[in-house]
Amino acid sequence: MRSGTSWRQLEALHRMGNLQAGVRGPTASETAESFFQLFDNCPVGLYCLDFKSGYFVNANQAFSRLADCSLSELKALRFSQLVAPEDVERVVDYFRRRSHGDPTLPRTYEMLLVSRRGEHRVALHDADIVQFADVIMGAVRDITSEKLLLEPMLQAHKSDGLSFLAGGMANEFNNLLAVISGYAELLLVRCGGSADFAGPVQAIIEAGKRASMHINVLLSLARQGAHALEQIE
C-alpha cells in the first residue's frame, strides 16, 4: 500500500488534516501510520482515483475483495470499468456534477458493480473530490445481501398494492356496469317487445353480465382467493 503516487497522495491528505488541527513533528508521522492502518483494514471498501485520468491509485483490502482484484491489477483500471454498463453513464455524470459542486447531488447512491470475475453486486457509493491532492476518494459498501433479504418484503408490498388497485378498479367497473345494465333493462321494458330494439338491448344486457363475471374474478384475486374461482367459457 505504500508504493508510488498512491502513498504520496494519501500522505498529503493526512498531512493537510494534521496542519489544520495544529499537529506537527513526530506526532504527525505516528498518526499517519495509524491512518494508513485504518485505511487498509477498514471493513468498508475505500479507494483513491487519479482526478484527471480516473485510474485507481490506491484501494484497501475490502475494496480489492469486492472487485476481485489485487491493488496492482486495480491500478491498471479506471473506476468505470468496474461499473455495470447500465450504470456507467449515471455514475460518470455524478462524478462530473460532484466536481462542479452540484448541491442537488445525493450524498450516497446505489450502483451496480461488476467484479473482474463477472459477479454483479449492489453497492452503496459515496465519493468526494479532493482538489489539492488531485484525487477522488470514495467509499463503497456491498449491500447485495441486504437487498436479497429485503426483496421478498418488497415483492409482498407490490403484491398488496396491486391487489388494492385491482379491487378498487373492479368496484368502479361494477358501479358503471350497474348503471349500464339498469338502463338497458329499463329500455327493454319500454321498447314493448319490438324485435328491432329488443335484440340489441338484450345483447347489451348479456354483455354486462359477462363483464360482471370477469370483474368478480378480479375481485377474487384482489381479496386473495376469498371467493372460489370458476372457469369462464
Side-chain angles (χ1 to χ4, degrees), residues 17-232:
N18 287 330
L19 289 174
Q20 291 174 346
V23 180
R24 293 178 176 82
T27 305
S29 176
E30 293 171 2
T31 54
E33 183 67 28
S34 299
F35 170 80
F36 289 113
Q37 289 179 2
L38 288 172
F39 176 87
D40 198 36
N41 295 314
C42 180
V44 175
L46 302 175
Y47 68 84
C48 291
L49 305 177
D50 181 79
F51 179 74
K52 295 180 180 179
S53 68
Y55 279 96
F56 285 95
V57 293
N58 210 335
N60 68 351
Q61 296 181 49
F63 189 88
S64 294
R65 287 193 297 270
L66 186 62
D68 285 326
C69 290
S70 66
L71 180 57
S72 59
E73 290 173 327
L74 282 171
K75 287 183 177 182
L77 299 174
R78 289 187 173 94
F79 185 82
S80 58
Q81 292 177 263
L82 294 178
V83 180
E86 59 268 32
D87 275 356
V88 169
E89 184 177 351
R90 178 171 61 92
V91 172
V92 170
D93 180 61
Y94 277 11
F95 275 124
R96 179 187 60 78
R97 290 165 58 191
R98 180 64 58 83
S99 68
H100 289 86
D102 186 348
T104 65
L105 188 67
R107 179 68 188 177
T108 59
Y109 55 90
E110 289 185 13
M111 58 182 291
L112 194 61
L113 284 180
V114 183
S115 72
R116 297 302 286 173
R117 297 181 183 179
E119 296 179 355
H120 285 64
R121 300 175 184 178
V122 183
L124 195 63
H125 183 234
D126 182 7
D128 268 327
I129 295 173
V130 186
Q131 300 284 5
F132 68 84
D134 290 329
V135 295
I136 298 171
M137 295 195 71
V140 177
R141 185 166 66 88
D142 188 356
I143 58 172
T144 306
S145 299
E146 297 172 25
K147 298 290 281 188
L148 290 175
L149 289 173
L150 288 174
E151 190 63 27
M153 186 182 301
L154 293 174
Q155 290 299 329
H157 282 306
K158 288 180 182 178
S159 179
D160 290 343
L162 288 174
S163 296
F164 182 78
L165 179 62
M169 292 179 64
N171 281 319
E172 276 302 313
F173 278 117
N174 255 341
N175 293 337
L176 294 172
L177 281 175
V179 174
I180 294 171
S181 298
Y183 275 108
E185 290 175 358
L186 181 61
L187 185 59
L188 184 63
V189 173
R190 291 188 175 181
C191 72
S194 171
D196 292 336
F197 291 99
V201 173
Q202 189 62 45
I204 295 173
I205 294 173
E206 292 300 321
K209 289 179 180 179
R210 290 196 300 273
S212 181
M213 293 173 65
H214 288 295
I215 288 173
N216 285 333
V217 171
L218 283 177
L219 283 171
S220 295
L221 291 173
R223 293 165 185 164
Q224 299 180 348
H227 302 285
L229 299 179
E230 294 181 0
Q231 185 175 358
I232 299 175

